[in-house]
Amino acid sequence: MRILGISAFYHDSAAALIEDGRIVAAAQEERFTRKKHDPSFPANALAYCLAEAGCGMADVDHVVFYDKPFLKFERLLETYLATSPRGFRSFRMAMPLWIKEKLFQKNLLRKHLGKLAGSKEWSGSLLFSEHHLAHAASAFFPSPFASAAVLTMDGVGEWCTTSLGLGRGNSLEIIKEIRFPHSLGLLYSAFTYYTGFKVNSGEYKLMGLAPYGRPRFAQTILDNLIDLKDDGSFRVDQRYFDYCTGLTMTSPAFHRLFGAEPRKPETPLTQREMDLAASIQAVTEEVVLKLARFARQETGERHLCLAGGVALNCVANGKLLKNRIFDDIWIQPAAGDAGGAVGAALAAWHGHLGKDRLANGRDGMAGAYLGPAYGQGEIERRLAAAGAVYKVLSDSEIIADTVEGLVQGKAVGWMQGRMEFGPRALGGRSILGDPRSPTMQKTLNLKVKYRESFRPFAPSVRREDVAEWFDIDTDSPYMLLVGDVLDRRRLPLGPDEGALFGIDRLNAPRSEIPAVTHVDYSARVQTVHHDTNPRYWELLSAFKQRTGCPVLVNTSFNVRGEPIVCTPEDAFRCFMGTEIECLVVGNCFLRKEDQPSALRQDYKECFELD
């Protein structure tokens, strides 16, 4: 039996296909359209999923959408009525789209699915899952746990913003929830907006900026913005926000409270923005820890599963792990809305159809390598058609030449196997570098990624070596846990370096692997496992044998504002538009100096800034 899950029409549209309970394929639409966070119907992602399964729409038993449009419309109407006439402008802008399309989403979906089926309208079984149930299902059902507490936290679904679920076997029940407008995700996004970053994409930047600051506004937030109870429940004072009825996130009262208007995007960052980031990060961590303690007490479960956009806050996840509230935690790698496609399909399989779970081993996400892959012959044809000059090497040669490039301090584009599902590159579509280099972090940010210099990079490390370098000794295959670099790997700071503040702290090497050590000695760790990505594991092994270091810098293969590369052509374009010096696609090895100069391009201006 085949079930298609769809997430669409808000941001990060995606499709997923499960076959007899196993996730066969999943991908975000942005990877095909090359439009970051593409919200449109995921026609390309769906076509890929069907091709990967070797079937057509006629072979699909159910299609499941990840939320319920009528419930969402009800929330919109009730919110506007409760706050009228203040929200009339926003109401006037939203209603035409709802009346034209969203209220008739069932018909719209059938028409889009019909195009895939080669007909006017698809007439098969179309189901709708509640948004937070889809998140919870994406977290629990692929997890390795027989039973677990399940926390979902995001901006808002239909009404729910935070939920506590209980998963046992093939059953999943939501037992507690917090409802709109009281939202931890929207509170964090309000600070994203206020500090000059883009909502729904800049939250990562706010989290990365936090270690440069001091949480001097944390008490102001707790005293004024959020009434936080001991059980983790909370209420958000709407006087300070404008997301219910307005067209911005924060209100004039918010600006008066913090003493300034929102920072204009792309203007210089000041210590104030760093302190604001540190403050909202500290409050978020406090809320998450209280929610987790309540979840443990309420359910009695020893394991915890997480999903929803807030679950992508890997710093909060790391604090949760360190506090040992639960014996173990598992986080859906596509924790945001894209993962709702997986969750909707699994909710139908287990909840609607009552099917048993499969034995998953580590988990059911296959390392998140659920996107397209390209055979060696196809890679060669595509690269040749793009005008690329490459050498075809044996398996051992491709590893050896890549290690040589890394040791020479080069940035290496690495495209291997299936593309990752979710926001993180995990060794399938990555840019790699030597973590021992004191200049690699700044070089990758400014000359390769074309992004803000303060943003940290993640280390990939073999699972068996992680405890030798970081203070965590657990699986972290999806780069969703932060741990500290071990004391013995740290470098002493001189008196001048220790006195630095803000962004200036970036210039002081802090460990044996400075390119992946943040200014507070933290690192967003990815453990690499031989069974899910053998080639990447072998590369790390060879780098360790050559250098004694089993760690590599791993960042997503894209530039700022660009979706992660999907095809060999995408990889070659990014290679030719940046200062990446080597490109490895399958067994093809490319050096920048060998490429026709006419194919060089200025990639800086190709994508809208995120």
Side-chain angles (χ1 to χ4, degrees), residues 153-156 161-162 182-192 199-200 203 234 236 243 249 284 309-310:
M153 304 163 287
D154 68 0
V156 61
T161 68
T162 304
H182 308 293
S183 168
L184 183 59
L186 290 174
L187 176 65
Y188 203 90
S189 290
F191 279 86
T192 302
V199 172
N200 288 330
E203 285 77 8
F234 55 85
V236 176
Y243 56 71
M249 294 298 295
T284 299
V310 177

Side-chain angles (χ1 to χ4, degrees), residues 219-254:
Q219 199 57 50
T220 302
I221 296 169
L222 290 167
D223 288 344
N224 295 276
L225 303 188
I226 181 170
D227 179 16
L228 176 62
K229 304 301 185 186
D230 287 340
D231 64 359
S233 63
F234 55 85
R235 293 184 68 80
V236 176
D237 190 333
Q238 293 304 302
R239 289 177 299 172
Y240 295 97
F241 301 94
D242 203 28
Y243 56 71
C244 278
T245 56
L247 302 175
T248 62
M249 294 298 295
T250 54
S251 73
F254 188 107

Side-chain angles (χ1 to χ4, degrees), residues 50-104:
L50 293 171
E52 185 66 33
C55 68
M57 284 301 301
D59 306 303
V60 173
D61 298 278
H62 303 279
V63 175
V64 195
F65 193 68
Y66 83 130
D67 69 13
K68 296 191 173 183
F70 277 104
L71 279 179
K72 190 173 281 189
F73 185 63
E74 174 191 84
R75 187 246 302 166
L76 224 64
L77 279 181
E78 287 195 24
T79 300
Y80 287 136
L81 285 170
T83 56
S84 65
R86 190 160 59 92
F88 180 72
R89 184 182 171 204
S90 180
F91 175 82
R92 188 180 61 192
M93 292 178 69
M95 281 308 101
L97 181 62
W98 273 94
I99 292 168
K100 183 181 177 183
E101 290 184 359
K102 295 193 176 184
L103 274 181
F104 304 99

